[in-house]
Amino acid sequence: MRISVTGCGYLGAVHASAMAKLGHDVIGIDVDEPKIASLAQGEPPFFEPELPELLTASIASGRLRFTTDPAAAAEATVHFVAVGTPQTSDGNAADLSYVDAAIDALLPHIGDGHVVVGKSTVPVGTAAKLAERIHETGARLVWNPEFLREGYAVRDTVEPDRLVYGVEPGDDASVAVLDEVYAHALELGTPRMVTDFATSELVKVAANAFLATKISFINAMAEIAEATGADVTQLADAIGHDSRIGRRFLNAGVGFGGGCLPKDIRAFTARAEELGRGEAVAFLKEVDGINLRRRKRVVDLATAELGGSVVGRKVAVLGVTFKPHSDDVRDSPALDVAVALKGLGAAVVAVDPKGVANARVRHPQLDYAEDATDALRGADLVILVTEWPEYVGLDPVATRELVAGATVIDGRNALDRDAWVGAGWRYRGMGRS
Ligand code: UGA
């Protein structure tokens, strides 16, 4: 298939590279010149495991090119739209300006027999509106939400756990086109569902809302555990054995962040309110509230552990990204904790294997260490906020030699508590005694 992909961020760059690997001819389009220049040289402008190799191989095959010229879309017949839909600056709703701009740029270059495939996460009702404009060209629209996780984006794209096509009634031709695009995944037995536009748009936000709710549920239990002396990790293990509940996404800690879960639950709430159904998802405000309280909990714990004031005390913050295996610091709980402690007067030194460059742009006022040893040396308090394997695997005995005060706050309940306590540390987990 001849494919264009408009929007070459985490989603689009991975999608374009993966589609080329699967044998399609792909042109990646983005308005961001430095990003396109970097991708064209086989260098992703962000960290994503396996992407550099995939990108290089796909470019070398001759099936993947990048450009800033929207007219290049005319070479293709299948047009993916993978631009971002961030939170608006003045409210909770999604900002659709990038989607609108992408469609505006595509319209002059599409026509009969072409299929536009929306991948961006959009408020329900968006596809129906866009379809009217796309039909005027003779092309068709499919809404095909994406469920990839950062850190596993390549695997999730090549071997997704499901495919959802939102189509207009009777549009079998577009279904057949997408089946050809996704032939590899379909051959592997990937479940594929054909729905209407609204269902496909909702599947995406419902999935993220469910995941966010699951995390906030266990973090709410952590709050109760903190008041009662119970252990939330044992609680999660015990309820997780019930296969109806399941153990995944039940890790209590500093909560969820990133470019997706937080903004998606807010946009969902805003859209439901517009539809006059705000009550139906009012609980998502509570999910958001529980989540944000966990960041404050870490800051409060740190203050208490330092005797009521953090002023002038050295705090080593391990991790700044919103999760490991990513350099993404958008809405990162780890970075929020570091910034809050700095604001309270602590001498914060943050460290991260991949996220420092991005964190420095947003928060130049923080001190960043070269490596964990540098951050830990002379620290009065250690806080683990992103569970990078290199931090989880720190030797508590050797680490104790470096610090001034042997207290660790495990913001992800990821450390081996017994080993740290055994090495003489005072250990404070989240929802654990
Ligand atoms: C999420 C979804 O998992 C993807 O399916 C979806 O495609 C993506 O958003 C998106 O909409 O683009 P992602 O943002 O990469 O993916 O991150 P997750 O792996 O879902 O983690 C989100 C946050 O939840 C992280 O901050 C993580 O540390 C936190 N988390 C996760 C917990 O606090 N506890 C858990 O048990 C699991």
Side-chain angles (χ1 to χ4, degrees), residues 48-55 151 154-155:
E48 180 61 43
E50 296 178 39
L51 181 57
E53 299 80 6
L54 176 68
L55 184 62
V154 171
R155 192 189 318 164

Side-chain angles (χ1 to χ4, degrees), residues 311-387:
V311 174
R313 310 295 296 279
K314 178 171 177 185
V315 180
V317 173
L318 305 181
V320 297
T321 54
F322 83 106
K323 67 174 187 182
H325 314 294
S326 167
D327 64 359
D328 196 342
V329 299
R330 286 177 293 172
D331 208 337
S332 167
L335 202 46
D336 260 12
V337 166
V339 168
L341 286 170
K342 172 87 181 172
L344 291 173
V348 172
V349 181
V351 65
D352 193 282
K354 297 289 175 194
V356 168
N358 285 339
R360 212 189 284 278
V361 171
R362 284 174 192 241
H363 295 291
Q365 79 276 24
L366 289 178
D367 287 327
Y368 298 96
E370 285 294 311
D371 55 30
T373 304
D374 197 15
L376 290 162
R377 194 170 287 119
D380 297 302
L381 176 69
V382 179
I383 309 182
L384 176 95
V385 252
T386 312
E387 69 278 34

Side-chain angles (χ1 to χ4, degrees), residues 146-150 204 208 211 215 249-251 255-257 260-261 264 322-323 412:
E146 177 57 56
F147 306 101
L148 67 78
R149 297 158 297 169
E150 287 180 26
K204 170 68 196 198
N208 276 359
L211 294 172
I215 298 167
F249 271 66
L250 277 186
N251 293 323
F256 59 81
C260 302
L261 262 45
D264 285 353
F322 83 106
K323 67 174 187 182
R412 292 290 182 180

Side-chain angles (χ1 to χ4, degrees), residues 10 106 138 142 172 216 254 279 293 334 363 389:
Y10 280 98
L106 273 176
V142 178
D172 298 339
S216 276
V254 69
E279 265 188 350
R293 280 207 296 276
H363 295 291

Side-chain angles (χ1 to χ4, degrees), residues 98-425:
Y98 301 102
V99 173
D100 290 334
I103 299 293
D104 287 345
L106 273 176
L107 286 178
H109 310 292
I110 59 176
D112 275 342
H114 290 219
V115 183
V116 176
V117 190
K119 280 215 150 292
S120 307
T121 301
V122 292
V124 58
T126 305
K129 275 191 215 148
L130 296 176
E132 289 174 20
R133 302 178 62 206
I134 288 164
H135 287 166
E136 285 169 17
T137 69
R140 313 287 305 175
L141 176 67
V142 178
W143 214 263
N144 172 223
E146 177 57 56
F147 306 101
L148 67 78
R149 297 158 297 169
E150 287 180 26
Y152 302 92
V154 171
R155 192 189 318 164
D156 287 350
T157 303
V158 178
E159 295 174 13
D161 54 14
R162 77 283 210 191
L163 289 164
V164 177
Y165 308 166
V167 298
E168 285 174 291
D171 188 5
D172 298 339
S174 296
V175 171
V177 168
L178 273 205
D179 279 352
E180 209 171 325
V181 170
Y182 292 125
H184 171 79
L186 293 172
E187 276 160 25
L188 293 173
T190 305
R192 180 267 250 165
M193 289 187 65
V194 179
T195 71
D196 53 32
F197 282 154
T199 305
S200 66
E201 293 165 316
L202 273 175
V203 168
K204 170 68 196 198
V205 286
N208 276 359
F210 189 85
L211 294 172
T213 303
K214 207 171 171 191
I215 298 167
S216 276
F217 175 83
I218 201 65
N219 279 330
M221 295 306 106
E223 290 190 21
I224 304 297
E226 277 151 14
T228 53
D231 185 317
V232 78
T233 59
Q234 287 186 325
L235 171 73
D237 289 345
I239 62 173
H241 281 303
D242 183 333
S243 59
R244 293 170 303 174
I245 295 172
R247 179 63 177 83
R248 297 179 71 188
F249 271 66
L250 277 186
N251 293 323
V254 69
F256 59 81
C260 302
L261 262 45
K263 66 105 176 155
D264 285 353
I265 59 170
R266 291 171 199 151
F268 194 9
T269 310
R271 182 67 183 129
E273 283 167 359
E274 268 173 29
L275 293 165
R277 295 291 193 279
E279 265 188 350
V281 292
F283 70 93
L284 290 177
K285 288 188 179 159
E286 204 53 52
V287 166
D288 204 4
I290 294 165
N291 190 52
L292 295 176
R293 280 207 296 276
R294 300 317 285 165
R295 303 177 188 193
K296 186 169 181 306
R297 165 74 183 164
V298 175
V299 174
D300 290 348
L301 255 183
T303 309
E305 288 301 325
L306 290 173
S309 169
V310 301
V311 174
R313 310 295 296 279
K314 178 171 177 185
V315 180
V317 173
L318 305 181
V320 297
T321 54
F322 83 106
K323 67 174 187 182
H325 314 294
S326 167
D327 64 359
D328 196 342
V329 299
R330 286 177 293 172
D331 208 337
S332 167
L335 202 46
D336 260 12
V337 166
V339 168
L341 286 170
K342 172 87 181 172
L344 291 173
V348 172
V349 181
V351 65
D352 193 282
K354 297 289 175 194
V356 168
N358 285 339
R360 212 189 284 278
V361 171
R362 284 174 192 241
H363 295 291
Q365 79 276 24
L366 289 178
D367 287 327
Y368 298 96
E370 285 294 311
D371 55 30
T373 304
D374 197 15
L376 290 162
R377 194 170 287 119
D380 297 302
L381 176 69
V382 179
I383 309 182
L384 176 95
V385 252
T386 312
E387 69 278 34
W388 284 97
E390 43 270 73
Y391 303 152
V392 174
L394 280 171
D395 174 6
V397 177
T399 305
R400 198 173 167 206
E401 299 297 310
L402 293 170
V403 297
T407 299
V408 61
I409 296 178
D410 183 359
R412 292 290 182 180
N413 290 339
L415 298 174
D416 179 343
R417 178 174 62 181
D418 292 346
W420 283 72
V421 171
W425 285 81

